Amino acid sequence: GEDVKPFTPEKTKEIVMSLQQPAVFCNMVGDWPALQWNAKYLSEVLEGKTIQFRLGLKRVDLVPQFETKCSYVEATLEEFLAWSCGQPSCVSGPFSCYDYSKYWAYADYKYIARIFEDKPEIFQDIRWSDFGFPGRSGKESTLWIGSEGANTPCHLDSYGCNLVLQVQGRKRWHLFPPGDTSFLYPTRIPYEESSIFSKVNIANPDLKHFPEFRNSTAHVVTLSPGQVLLVPRHWWHYVESIDPITVSINSWIELDADHEARVEEAVTRMLVCAIKSAENPSEGDPWLNPTEVEATSHEINLQYLNKAVSVYLKCQETSVSEQARSSSTGAEQRTNALCKRKRREIICEPEGCTLLTQEFDFSTPKAAELQKIPFGPHLIQVLPQSDKTNVMGAVGVESDGGDLPRENAGEHFGKLQRQRKRLATSSDCETAAHQRDADCSPCTSQTALSTNDVLDCLVNPRVISLVARLLLERTRV
């Protein structure tokens, strides 16, 4: 009766750390207790505890529905379930202002370590050790609970790669490779550390104002319960819930490439905060994402930049010394310990720093390399769509879902320990969800350039990457 998994933890980790295209793992989590984490079960475990939900309109506009455009309510999962079923009890509840036929709700990005802080034993229901990451459990994971239509605007994560377990319902993922970045019109407004958003609404692209989007290549997959999706580093993704209730669990896997990314993020933060803070407040541009508490001062941002540079250089030195030591002793094994990272308080343990990028090639894999990947019924490639312009049309992978949990049961603590905080509950129920900011809208007939136009050029990922490298070269002189 022992559950035999198709890949050993060592082989799974090798795949995760080397594969640079999205793929779905099947039959890897059949014995995980977390497969019981449907919304009803979680409601019972939380015992009436309230969590914050983000609400957006189901109506699809040409402009992405960023978090700055949403409403927020505090509610229990029981109230959320009643609302999603259209029960009359919701007339006077926290969802009373929101018609289920017009709105979706998303309890996204909830730290499992935080919402279940009084039940730490539940962390062991999630076993990322099966994927080659011993010690990683629910404590280093986040939870996502949404209604039909709930979605995350298209973005890429600056740090790490992503493992996503689908527990209840199905979610459709639209993924774009890093090479498509210019076709997705990247922007840092709204600003959130480690998230680069796309100006394009993937669900309804405005090809008139964003014509280069036609050149993008979408990889689309519908993730079913019991499946685990690998989202490689810097892959863009737009995610939508397509069933009445969805539950997902994810964990971000740290990479040594994150050290340089932290320098890039520090430069970006310094520029965005300096320029947007100098702008006339009467402009009313909601440039700071609700996940960011406040715009930090120039002094704090400069300290953060120097700390990020210091950690990068220290880990580079450690890597060089370890390589020399390994070469001299003929050691074949290298430590897999990583630098511990925090958002603004970066801690580095030099003896534990290694450069995984030297073990694995993070560039686009060649055909010969892909042949070494054991694709098959247990590891499914997420293939590109044939029609580049019809982004929402076809599905690259549709699967019946391995490890389907019984009874209709159906992201690393703080996304590399980054604290996200939400806006207070919206007092005007529908105002925030209906708002549309002119600066975030597609180009209008006006010819005057805005602050955001300048920022889109200054903090373009290609520009920031060059600036970061120049800064790192300067520190070595």
Side-chain angles (χ1 to χ4, degrees), residues 131-164:
F131 284 76
F133 302 98
R136 187 180 295 260
S137 64
K139 186 177 181 182
E140 296 83 27
S141 305
T142 49
L143 182 66
W144 309 68
I145 306 170
S147 65
E148 184 176 1
N151 63 81
T152 304
C154 186
H155 68 284
L156 70 77
D157 301 313
S158 302
Y159 309 141
C161 63
N162 193 2
L163 289 173
V164 187

Side-chain angles (χ1 to χ4, degrees), residues 1 20-21 73 109 149 162 255 272 283 292 347 370 381 435 461:
Q20 285 305 287
Q21 68 175 66
V73 300
Y109 221 124
N162 193 2
L255 302 171
V272 172
E283 296 292 331
E292 298 288 328
I347 303 173
L370 284 176
Q381 288 179 274
Q435 287 176 342

Side-chain angles (χ1 to χ4, degrees), residues 227-248:
Q227 297 180 330
V228 176
L229 172 66
L230 165 64
V231 182
R233 182 175 188 260
H234 286 183
W235 272 72
W236 293 84
H237 46 284
Y238 167 80
V239 191
E240 55 177 340
S241 297
I242 59 175
D243 281 331
I245 301 292
T246 63
V247 177
S248 307

Side-chain angles (χ1 to χ4, degrees), residues 1-34:
E2 182 181 356
D3 181 59
V4 179
K5 302 183 187 300
F7 306 114
T8 64
E10 295 77 17
K11 182 61 178 178
T12 309
K13 182 176 182 180
E14 179 185 340
I15 295 170
V16 169
M17 302 302 286
S18 62
L19 185 57
Q20 285 305 287
Q21 68 175 66
V24 176
F25 288 92
C26 300
N27 307 309
M28 284 292 293
V29 297
D31 58 346
W32 286 23

Side-chain angles (χ1 to χ4, degrees), residues 13-21 133 158-162 177-179 230-235 253-259 334 338 341 354-366 369:
K13 182 176 182 180
E14 179 185 340
I15 295 170
V16 169
M17 302 302 286
S18 62
L19 185 57
Q20 285 305 287
Q21 68 175 66
F133 302 98
S158 302
Y159 309 141
C161 63
N162 193 2
L230 165 64
V231 182
R233 182 175 188 260
H234 286 183
W235 272 72
I253 307 301
E254 305 95 326
L255 302 171
D256 281 306
D258 294 344
H259 293 306
R334 299 172 60 201
L338 293 171
R341 305 173 183 86
T354 62
L355 283 182
L356 292 175
T357 50
Q358 296 182 3
E359 288 188 34
F360 304 104
D361 182 8
F362 285 97
S363 60
T364 303
K366 299 181 177 63
E369 294 170 341

Side-chain angles (χ1 to χ4, degrees), residues 198-215:
S198 168
K199 287 185 174 183
V200 182
N201 186 351
I202 305 303
N204 188 22
D206 185 349
L207 298 179
K208 178 181 177 182
H209 293 103
F210 306 116
E212 290 297 314
F213 182 64
R214 292 186 180 92
N215 298 320

Side-chain angles (χ1 to χ4, degrees), residues 121-372:
E121 64 278 2
I122 204 172
F123 300 162
Q124 304 311 312
D125 286 5
I126 302 165
R127 304 169 180 174
W128 296 115
S129 56
D130 286 341
F131 284 76
F133 302 98
R136 187 180 295 260
S137 64
K139 186 177 181 182
E140 296 83 27
S141 305
T142 49
L143 182 66
W144 309 68
I145 306 170
S147 65
E148 184 176 1
N151 63 81
T152 304
C154 186
H155 68 284
L156 70 77
D157 301 313
S158 302
Y159 309 141
C161 63
N162 193 2
L163 289 173
V164 187
L165 165 65
Q166 193 62 28
V167 176
Q168 179 181 359
R170 295 168 301 156
K171 278 186 174 178
R172 184 161 293 144
W173 287 71
H174 304 257
L175 301 116
F176 302 85
D180 282 3
T181 292
S182 62
F183 305 145
L184 289 160
Y185 297 84
T187 183
R188 297 312 297 260
I189 304 297
Y191 172 76
E192 173 185 275
E193 184 186 348
S194 84
S195 294
I196 303 176
F197 292 103
S198 168
K199 287 185 174 183
V200 182
N201 186 351
I202 305 303
N204 188 22
D206 185 349
L207 298 179
K208 178 181 177 182
H209 293 103
F210 306 116
E212 290 297 314
F213 182 64
R214 292 186 180 92
N215 298 320
S216 66
T217 303
H219 297 238
V220 185
V221 59
T222 297
L223 200 64
S224 298
Q227 297 180 330
V228 176
L229 172 66
L230 165 64
V231 182
R233 182 175 188 260
H234 286 183
W235 272 72
W236 293 84
H237 46 284
Y238 167 80
V239 191
E240 55 177 340
S241 297
I242 59 175
D243 281 331
I245 301 292
T246 63
V247 177
S248 307
I249 297 168
N250 91 300
S251 190
W252 279 273
I253 307 301
E254 305 95 326
L255 302 171
D256 281 306
D258 294 344
H259 293 306
E260 185 169 348
R262 288 194 175 277
V263 177
E264 295 174 358
E265 285 297 296
V267 173
T268 300
R269 186 177 192 92
M270 176 179 290
L271 290 171
V272 172
C273 287
I275 294 176
K276 293 300 289 185
S277 296
E279 196 174 39
N280 189 340
S282 64
E283 296 292 331
D285 178 17
W287 65 273
L288 201 62
N289 216 42
T291 55
E292 298 288 328
V293 183
E294 60 183 357
T296 44
S297 69
H298 180 75
E299 289 72 20
I300 290 177
N301 293 336
L302 186 58
Q303 291 174 13
Y304 180 39
L305 172 61
N306 279 282
K307 189 68 174 178
V309 170
S310 175
V311 170
Y312 173 87
L313 295 176
K314 186 178 297 183
C315 288
Q316 285 278 354
E317 293 170 1
T318 302
S319 176
V320 171
S321 63
E322 288 215 354
Q323 285 179 354
R325 190 184 314 123
S326 175
S327 177
S328 62
T329 60
E332 296 181 357
Q333 298 297 327
R334 299 172 60 201
T335 178
N336 285 325
L338 293 171
C339 289
K340 297 179 180 179
R341 305 173 183 86
K342 291 186 179 180
R343 180 169 169 228
R344 285 189 237 296
E345 182 184 348
I346 305 173
I347 303 173
C348 185
E349 299 175 353
E351 66 276 9
C353 294
T354 62
L355 283 182
L356 292 175
T357 50
Q358 296 182 3
E359 288 188 34
F360 304 104
D361 182 8
F362 285 97
S363 60
T364 303
K366 299 181 177 63
E369 294 170 341
L370 284 176
Q371 289 178 358
K372 300 177 183 178

